[in-house]
Each structure stands twice: as structure tokens, then as C-alpha cells.
Amino acid sequence: MSQTFSCTEELLQALPQPIAIVGNGVPAGAMGAAIDHHPSVIRLNNYRLESYESVVGTRTTLRCTSGWNDIEARGQVGEFSPFARDARESAGVADFEQRSGFALICAATDVHALVPAVPNPSTGLALAALCSKLGLQFSLFGFDGFASGHYWNPGAQPATTHSGTERELLLGLPGAVFYGQSYDYASLYNFCHAEHAGYNVNEGLALYRQLGCVIQHESILEFGAGNGDLSAYMEKQGNRVTALEVSKVAFNRIPIRNKINGDCITLAGLTQKFDRFVSVDVLEHLTENDIRVVLREAARLADSILVSVSTRLSGLLGPQGENLHLTVRSVEWWRDLFAEHFDVQLVNGLDVGQMMIAGDRRPAGAQRAAAPARAADRFDLPAAYVSRAKPVYYADTPDDGLTWQPDVYPTAAEIARSLQCDTLVDIGCGQARKLSALHPEFKLIGVDYGGNMEHCRTKFPFGTWLEADFEDISMLPLPARVLRHSVVVCSDVIEHLVDPRSLMHALRELLAHAPALVLSTPDRERTWGKVHMGPPPNPAHIREWTLAELSALFEREGFTLAAATHTRSNDGSPDLATIMLVLVNPEHAQIRASGFAAQAVAPAAARRAGEPRPAIPPATPAGAAMAAPIAAAEPFAAAAEIPAAITAERGSATATAGIVVEGLEETTVAAGEQAMGNPTWRARLGRARDDREMLRVLAQMSLDLGHPDRAMDLYGALLSTDGSDHDALEGVVISQIRCGQHADAARLLESVRSN
């Protein structure tokens, strides 16, 4: 490197990234290939290469040293110090320069301020802290907290004044990827494969088959292969497969020849190249650091990837009560992480929260494609309106004793009942106080971010909670089979967004499968008066609309409006100052079967050229109660009339305690009596369309209310008459596990898999 640098910071910033920083402790394995793959390699102090190439590699870009009196003078590559020239660690620099015959580049930054908890930082920690401060991407090898000697003399423990706690600090540095043992995955997953019946089933194979994946004539590395069913299946398709699995219990079950017992660090020791890296529902089981290790190594080893991840908490716990998903992050977090190495496409998986990520490795030096710039948009607001530039984060904490938007969720629930939907999906659920009240009548899926999600996961474990960045939604990982039976709620979210187009696109995607969406937001004129032209007094709001403006916006964005009206903003005032829109999917079977379709307002693109947009009704008179019909001119349905307007034709089944199954008379009678005594489950039983659906309701109720033995019999009756009923199969297995019948659950799953 011929360029002249005035300080260490300038030198580091000129290096190609990511940078490999190679410490002198014993590496976690043969790291040579992984180290040499980095465009820049920095080694420390008196490092050795000869005879250790497989362990630490062969390439050296720079040498980092403090210049202490025990440091050898070499001059083979460029040399620098991570310490300032006046730091106490630099006391030997003048002598080192005299011995070396050149000036040592020193830092301008006092690194002690970067690691205040360590009074005597090592050269490696100082360098890593400096790289992190500069925003560089770097990998750490051979840092074990001084637990070993040097890699060239591991048995000799060197005297040191440095702290073993440095390893924990290194793990937490932004920009760092730590190549070392950070978690005992082997013990955890030996436990899981031995104790959890579900771990005997290869979900990767089921996903691969159901998505219709066909890969042929490729060399494939499957990471986290479990029992190897997917690897064996891909081999039968004509591929050359290597399976890598951390659990020795599972490893012993893998039926293919090319298999490796190891973890993410094992990847760093591989030198074979592959066409494709495959991993199904594995990466979320790793720490964030180790996920980064896997992706860097996948980009080194393979030309393309096919990966699935889950963005929700696991339903299973480890031996210490830990959730098996160590990393629960948003789709966007995963997208950006993969995009550091691959040009990726995202596809919904088969389960709530699951997504598939596929793509090719980006060529060396190629930059990630920039997102196209969005054109300016006033979002159908008046030309004089002024929006806020940036909102404050809205923490949904109760602070005033009021319930806000008290009628939005009851309206959504009534629509769901009318359409025979069993799930509510809340986009921007906050702390889910209103949503949670609708359990157990409905399955609940909430989407938000930050502290709101932590609260929901802790407070309401019966729900499914997904994280999303509403300003930049790639997709919401909700499969079509779930959305077809879901009503979507988006209550007072859109006003918080700098650019609501990402949210509207996501809602439009949901409505491609879901029948209906209920959306609310404050009405600007009814809240602040007609002369108010922004920014909103609420610092968490970017902009606010009137009913006419918001309706026009959603119509322009391609939505079909079923109703546009006003409702109460809170339960402390009768003022109808909140807009409520009901948007529908006119192609959904339940919507087509309802009496609503003729009332819908088609998007502008669907109307004939020149045909005017239907007029927005005048404001609802103040003081009208939500429980009573709210007057609204055609073509919009009144809010209280919505449920009746979209009620689908129902079957003749009625709530009864008299349904019986031959051989299970006592069980069905007991379950029926319990349902009749519970208003929520009585209502769900009453909405069942036939005896089979009634039986399913009784089975689910029995499982939810603590009668897994009864649920096992009822789900078993459903499964006995339809072996393809996957919901019944899942119910039987869960019931058996809750009854302690793990072996029976495993045998049932094994029989299904073999068939």
C-alpha cells in the first residue's frame, strides 16, 4: 500500500472490507480458508504463519502492534498501532521505530474512551473498538479471552495483564463478526432431538415439497440438516448433497454418506465449493453473531442460496426454559442481512411468520442495487397542508384512562363473525389491549415493532407477534391459507408514517387473500377544525386526513371501499372524530356470497373513463352513538349496518350440546356441555356450518381450556375420517405431547412421514 497516511484511522478506512482481524489465541478450528477469503487481513504483534497455514491462513495485508519492547522488528508488511502516540501502551514506540527503521503509524483516537470498562485493553481489543467506531465491517479470529496460549504454543499460558472479559466486549461490538464458540448448540439440540417429538419430523422436506421446489444436478450444502430427510430427498433428485448438523442425535439419523457433525464455525473450515447453500428454519435458532458467520461463509462456499427463516417465537423451549428461536427479527432485518452478500428474492412460506429467501451471490466488488427513488406525493391532501418531517416513536402505554378507537375492533370482530373468519390480523397492534380481548374467540396475529412487540410477547403468549418496519415493508409473512380466514385491522397507524405507500402496498397484498380490512385514523377537520393545515399537534403523527381525502387516497391506490364513515375517537366522548374505512377483496368467495358486493366502490382504474367518483357523504351529526346506525349517504354503508351488509349465507348448524361421535359419546357430550356454558365457545359452535366443523370447535376448545385428553379423542375422530386433515393431525400430536405421550406423537408423525 503506497499511499501515505497520517493516522491509523485513515489507513483502516482505506482498506477493502470486510477486514479479518486475526488474534494469536487458538482459533475455533481450521480457519485458514475463511481468513484468506477476506479482502484485507490484519495480524497482531508476533504472529506466525509458517506451518500454521490451515489454521490462520497465508495472507497478510497489515501488521497491528503496540510497539512494546517484546515486539519483534519485521517490516515485511505495513505496520500500525491502534493506540495514540501519547498513550501509555505506546511507551515503547520510539525504541520499536529505532529497531525497525521506520515510523509506526499511530491512532488519533484515545481508544480507552471506547472501552472504558477495560483499563488495560489488548492490542486486538483496541483495534476492534477502533474499527467499530469507524463503522467498518470486520471479522475476529483467534480471540478466546486469553483462555489458551498462542496458537503456535497453545500449552504455554502467557503472562498477561489483559482481562478475560474482553471476549464478551468483542461479541457486542457493532460491525464485528466473531468466529468462535458463542453458544452450546450441540447440547441444546441433542436435548431437542431426544425430548421433542416434533424434532423427529423434517419440516424442511415438507416445505420443499409443498412449495414445489425442484433442484437437480447441483452440488448442495444443507446447513442444519436435522434427521437428513431433505438431504436424502435432494439426493434422489440427482444432486450431490453434503449435510451438516450440530446435534449428534440427529446426525446419527442422517441417511446420506456425505455428512458432517458441526456448527456454524465448522463452515469456516470447509474448502469445497457448492452450487447452492440450503437451510430450512435453522438460522433463527442461532445468535445474531452466528447468523452473520453463516452468511459470510455461505457467500464464500456457494453460488446461490435457498433458505427459510421464521420471524416469530418458537412454540418450544429448551432445558433451561429458553425459547428455541434465539433471533426473532423482522423480514426487513433478514432481507438486509442477506443482501450484504446475495441478490435475494423473498417469498411467503407455509406458516405464519415464515419466509423463503432465494438468490445468487453478488459478484466481488458489485454493489447492492439501490432502491428506486419514489416520486413526491401529497397523498390527496390539500396543497397548503404541511406534514411533519419525522415522528417520535409511539409507545402504546395507557396513560389517560381512556380507550381509544373503542369501536374499531368490535366492528372488525363482527365482520369476521359475519364472514366466518377465525383470525384477526392487526397491523400496528401497539400493546394489543383491545386485540387481546378478542381471544379465545379469534386467533390473533399482531404486527408492530420495538417495545410494543416485547410487551405483547410477554403479556399475551397466546397470540402470534411479528415485527415489521411500516416505512419499508418488503412483505408480511402471512400465508394465503391463513389470510383467507382472516379480517385485517389497521387502527390509527397510517398517520404515523413518513411515506405510507409501503404500508398501503402491504395492505393491498393482504387483501389479495383476506376478505376485508378495517382501517381507522383521526379526521383532521373534526379533531382540529377546518382551518388546521398541519403539522399535527400530536408529535407522533406525520399527517392527518379528512374522510373525503383518505377515501380518495385509498381508491387511487387500488382498494375497493365497502364503507367510509366516522366513529368515536375514545370512550370518553361521543364525538365522532375518527375515520373508519372498510376495504374488501371483491374476489373473495365470502364477499361474493354476501349482500355487500353491490355497495362497494370500485377503484378509479376500474371505473369507466370520465365516470365521476361517488360523492362522499356529509359528516355524521355529532353525538350519534356508534351502537346506533350512523347515517351515511350512498354508496357507503353505515358503520352499524356493515355486519348485516356482508353477512354470508350460513349453514343450518346451530349451537347444541347434543353432537355425538360413535364410541365417544361421553367425550362429545362433556365437551358440548362445556361449550354451552361458555359464551365465546357457544357462539363459535353456533357459527359452525356442519357437524365436522362443530367437532373441530369442540376439539380446539378442549385443548385451549386444559383438556388435552378430550381434545386428543376429538381430533382423532376428525383424522380417522380424513387422513389429509393436517389441522387434525397437528391437534392430535399437540394433545399427545401435552398428555405426556411423546413416544405416541413421534410414532404418529413417523407413520405420516413414511406414507
Side-chain angles (χ1 to χ4, degrees), residues 480-500:
R481 65 174 178 82
V482 172
L483 289 172
R484 280 193 289 269
H485 305 286
S486 301
V487 168
V488 182
V489 183
C490 187
S491 179
D492 285 36
V493 174
I494 193 170
E495 68 272 13
H496 294 268
L497 304 181
V498 174
D499 190 332

Side-chain angles (χ1 to χ4, degrees), residues 46-60:
N46 295 330
Y47 67 89
R48 300 285 186 269
L49 292 184
E50 188 175 353
S51 301
Y52 303 100
E53 292 87 352
S54 66
V55 178
V56 295
T58 61
R59 295 180 53 249
T60 305

Side-chain angles (χ1 to χ4, degrees), residues 309 311 328-335 355 448-449 457 466-469 477:
V309 297
T311 62
V328 181
R329 301 297 294 263
S330 69
V331 168
E332 293 71 40
W333 184 87
W334 287 102
R335 175 202 64 196
M355 67 170 174
D448 213 300
Y449 73 105
R457 288 170 180 151
L466 305 176
E467 185 176 334
D469 177 1

Side-chain angles (χ1 to χ4, degrees), residues 395-431:
D396 182 24
T397 54
D399 55 3
D400 52 13
L402 297 174
T403 297
W404 292 83
Q405 306 89 43
D407 307 308
V408 173
Y409 289 83
T411 299
E414 187 56 36
I415 291 174
R417 295 182 191 108
S418 299
L419 295 175
Q420 300 179 3
C421 292
D422 62 2
T423 302
L424 294 176
V425 178
D426 191 356
I427 308 301
C429 62
Q431 294 196 352

Side-chain angles (χ1 to χ4, degrees), residues 22-25 42-50 52 56 60 62-80 82 95-96 99-100 102 104 122-124 142-143 146 149-154 158-159 162:
V22 186
N24 292 330
I42 299 176
R43 302 185 187 273
L44 305 181
N45 295 321
N46 295 330
Y47 67 89
R48 300 285 186 269
L49 292 184
E50 188 175 353
Y52 303 100
V56 295
T60 305
L62 294 169
R63 180 193 189 198
C64 178
T65 178
S66 65
W68 201 246
N69 55 21
D70 60 348
I71 302 301
E72 300 169 1
R74 294 186 180 176
Q76 299 164 334
V77 295
E79 302 189 2
F80 69 95
D95 177 67
F96 177 80
R99 289 188 285 119
S100 300
F102 59 82
L104 186 69
S122 67
T123 301
F143 289 86
F146 307 99
H150 295 138
Y151 60 82
W152 58 87
N153 191 13
H162 304 306

Side-chain angles (χ1 to χ4, degrees), residues 389-525:
K390 185 178 180 181
V392 300
Y393 174 74
Y394 176 64
D396 182 24
T397 54
D399 55 3
D400 52 13
L402 297 174
T403 297
W404 292 83
Q405 306 89 43
D407 307 308
V408 173
Y409 289 83
T411 299
E414 187 56 36
I415 291 174
R417 295 182 191 108
S418 299
L419 295 175
Q420 300 179 3
C421 292
D422 62 2
T423 302
L424 294 176
V425 178
D426 191 356
I427 308 301
C429 62
Q431 294 196 352
R433 288 184 296 277
K434 296 184 286 290
L435 179 67
S436 62
L438 295 168
H439 175 81
E441 181 182 2
F442 296 100
K443 300 172 188 175
L444 308 181
I445 300 172
V447 184
D448 213 300
Y449 73 105
N452 289 337
M453 283 291 88
E454 291 302 315
H455 173 88
C456 291
R457 288 170 180 151
T458 302
K459 185 78 171 177
F460 307 119
F462 48 78
T464 299
W465 311 104
L466 305 176
E467 185 176 334
D469 177 1
F470 297 136
E471 295 281 5
D472 181 29
I473 302 177
S474 292
M475 69 173 201
L476 291 169
L478 299 169
R481 65 174 178 82
V482 172
L483 289 172
R484 280 193 289 269
H485 305 286
S486 301
V487 168
V488 182
V489 183
C490 187
S491 179
D492 285 36
V493 174
I494 193 170
E495 68 272 13
H496 294 268
L497 304 181
V498 174
D499 190 332
R501 282 175 286 193
S502 175
L503 173 68
M504 289 190 289
H505 174 76
L507 295 177
R508 201 162 49 238
E509 291 293 307
L510 296 181
L511 273 179
H513 304 288
L517 159 69
V518 179
L519 181 139
S520 68
T521 189
D523 186 297
R524 182 182 73 251
E525 288 188 355

